[in-house]
Amino acid sequence: MHGRGPWWQERFNQHCVRVTAAREVVINVLHETAEHLSATEIYMKAHAISPEIGLTTIYRTLELLEQMRIVQKFDFGDGQARFELLNNPGGKGHHHHLICVKCKKIIDYKDFINEEINCLGKTQEFLSEKYNFQINDHIVSFYGLCEECRGKKS
Amino acid sequence: MHGRGPWWQERFNQHCVRVTAAREVVINVLHETAEHLSATEIYMKAHAISPEIGLTTIYRTLELLEQMRIVQKFDFGDGQARFELLNNPGGKGHHHHLICVKCKKIIDYKDFINEEINCLGKTQEFLSEKYNFQINDHIVSFYGLCEECRGKKS
DNA sequence: TATAATAATGAAAACCATTTTCATTTAAAG
DNA sequence: CTTTAAATGAAAATGGTTTTCATTATTATA
């Protein structure tokens, strides 16, 4: 069923985008950690593997991967974008977020995912048709204050 | 049942935050448009009403309102944060987003909103207890490519 | 295999949204 | 009215992200 090469190869082909060393490194770095990495963090890890890769390329690659829906970009409010591989929404690694707006703490959760996925799935199907969108994935985030921050002033 | 003064007055009191002219203006500006305004756009509108209000205050006010959960901050990927009043999640104005990752087009939708809210409500209750969070609201966003962008290269 | 055409890259500079500093003003408490 | 702490504006600094531009690598074509 599956072709040769990694799962994302096909996406590259669809988008007429070349598979380069830098892009493979970025995907591998994300695959190894897969948790909320910033562009700079990705750069440092990638740089450790292939020192010739520049920060600019990291940014360009991440933007590309985002548009190909291989990567999801997040803003948790701490001033820098963060990225996660999104190989299979609805699959194993998929999770949602619980975010403290004061200290920016983030909790990944998977509880009730089935019910949520079910419900979101219906919505996705509907929206996809109504607005003629090719929907690939979604973000669900809950916002509030964690225990420690609830006490604080200002 | 309701006290005197606008609905957000109580929040200010809870958080020991002063009600100032600038803050009222910001809330009013958001109340009038209530759609995806950036800090600069809010500044311009606020400035038109009260020219003594500076951009810095706009930023500070927005951060404050975000922490008090009077305002929700969004990142749609166009390089600047955007803000919406979130007076009543589950209420009339509440909506979710459908975002094109290429052209950054945003569609507000309310379809299936009740089912989603319903389903998310259960999750919220569960998470709230499990992680001891005071959850005030949520974001649901679908990502993909719109009709026009699906054809484009690169 | 040569050659042409296009895409990808790195380094440095530019950009620009957001934050910080600091001196001043304003609001609430006693 | 006085005191104390919070809020503000202007200007400067910050720092994540993008652009520019010259160079290199990749794919298509002859």
Side-chain angles (χ1 to χ4, degrees):
Chain A
M1 196 77 87
H2 294 336
R4 42 230 75 71
W7 63 272
W8 40 262
Q9 177 103 45
E10 189 191 344
R11 291 285 178 86
F12 276 62
N13 297 340
Q14 281 172 6
H15 288 259
C16 301
V17 160
R18 293 177 183 170
V19 177
T20 67
R23 290 167 182 175
E24 288 190 278
V25 169
V26 170
I27 290 178
N28 288 336
V29 164
L30 286 169
H31 188 68
E32 274 158 28
T33 50
E35 295 284 358
H36 313 154
L37 291 183
S38 69
T40 305
E41 287 166 350
I42 294 167
Y43 167 68
M44 291 188 298
K45 284 174 184 284
H47 195 259
I49 298 168
S50 302
E52 73 278 4
I53 299 178
L55 181 54
T56 309
T57 298
I58 300 293
Y59 275 105
R60 281 192 282 232
T61 300
L62 288 171
E63 160 120 40
L64 198 64
L65 294 177
E66 193 202 354
Q67 293 191 358
M68 292 193 291
R69 300 284 77 200
I70 289 170
V71 154
Q72 174 63 52
K73 183 180 184 180
F74 289 91
D75 172 34
F76 294 126
D78 66 337
Q80 58 198 319
R82 295 185 171 276
F83 303 85
E84 288 184 25
L85 262 198
L86 68 81
N87 43 47
N88 45 359
K92 279 250 222 70
H94 189 64
H95 59 268
H96 293 167
H97 295 122
L98 179 53
I99 302 165
C100 175
V101 290
K102 190 162 281 181
C103 71
K104 320 295 188 192
K105 181 190 304 168
I106 301 155
I107 293 173
D108 296 351
Y109 75 88
K110 297 187 179 185
D111 315 293
F112 279 19
I113 271 297
N114 286 337
E115 227 173 318
E116 283 182 57
I117 292 291
N118 207 24
C119 169
L120 293 170
K122 266 202 321 196
T123 308
Q124 169 168 339
E125 200 172 333
F126 178 83
L127 292 174
S128 181
E129 177 148 349
K130 175 168 181 181
Y131 297 106
N132 201 1
F133 249 71
Q134 173 197 314
I135 298 176
N136 297 284
D137 56 280
H138 60 258
I139 282 181
V140 174
S141 301
F142 286 93
Y143 290 83
L145 295 170
C146 69
E147 189 173 8
E148 295 88 60
C149 291
R150 217 167 318 139
K152 293 183 201 160
K153 278 199 53 180
S154 156
Chain B
M1 195 73 92
H2 292 338
R4 43 228 75 72
W7 64 272
W8 40 262
Q9 177 104 45
E10 189 193 344
R11 291 286 178 89
F12 276 63
N13 297 339
Q14 281 173 7
H15 287 259
C16 303
V17 160
R18 293 179 184 171
V19 177
T20 67
R23 289 168 182 173
E24 289 192 275
V25 170
V26 169
I27 291 178
N28 287 337
V29 164
L30 285 169
H31 188 68
E32 274 158 28
T33 50
E35 295 283 357
H36 313 151
L37 291 183
S38 70
T40 305
E41 287 166 350
I42 293 167
Y43 167 67
M44 291 188 299
K45 284 174 184 283
H47 195 261
I49 297 169
S50 302
E52 73 278 4
I53 299 178
L55 181 55
T56 310
T57 298
I58 300 293
Y59 275 105
R60 281 192 282 230
T61 300
L62 288 169
E63 161 118 39
L64 199 63
L65 294 177
E66 192 202 354
Q67 293 190 358
M68 294 194 289
R69 300 284 77 201
I70 289 170
V71 154
Q72 174 64 52
K73 184 179 182 181
F74 288 91
D75 172 33
F76 295 127
D78 67 336
Q80 57 199 320
R82 294 184 173 275
F83 302 84
E84 286 183 27
L85 260 200
L86 67 81
N87 43 47
N88 46 358
K92 279 250 220 71
H94 190 65
H95 58 266
H96 293 164
H97 295 122
L98 178 53
I99 302 164
C100 174
V101 291
K102 189 162 283 182
C103 70
K104 320 295 187 192
K105 180 190 305 167
I106 301 155
I107 293 173
D108 297 351
Y109 75 88
K110 294 187 178 186
D111 313 290
F112 288 116
I113 221 64
N114 288 335
E115 276 129 285
E116 281 185 58
I117 295 290
N118 201 29
C119 166
L120 293 170
K122 276 202 299 199
T123 306
Q124 170 169 337
E125 200 173 332
F126 177 81
L127 293 174
S128 182
E129 177 149 350
K130 175 166 181 182
Y131 298 106
N132 202 0
F133 249 71
Q134 173 198 314
I135 299 177
N136 296 283
D137 56 279
H138 60 259
I139 281 182
V140 174
S141 301
F142 286 92
Y143 290 83
L145 295 171
C146 70
E147 189 172 9
E148 295 88 60
C149 290
R150 215 168 319 140
K152 294 184 201 162
K153 278 199 56 182
S154 157

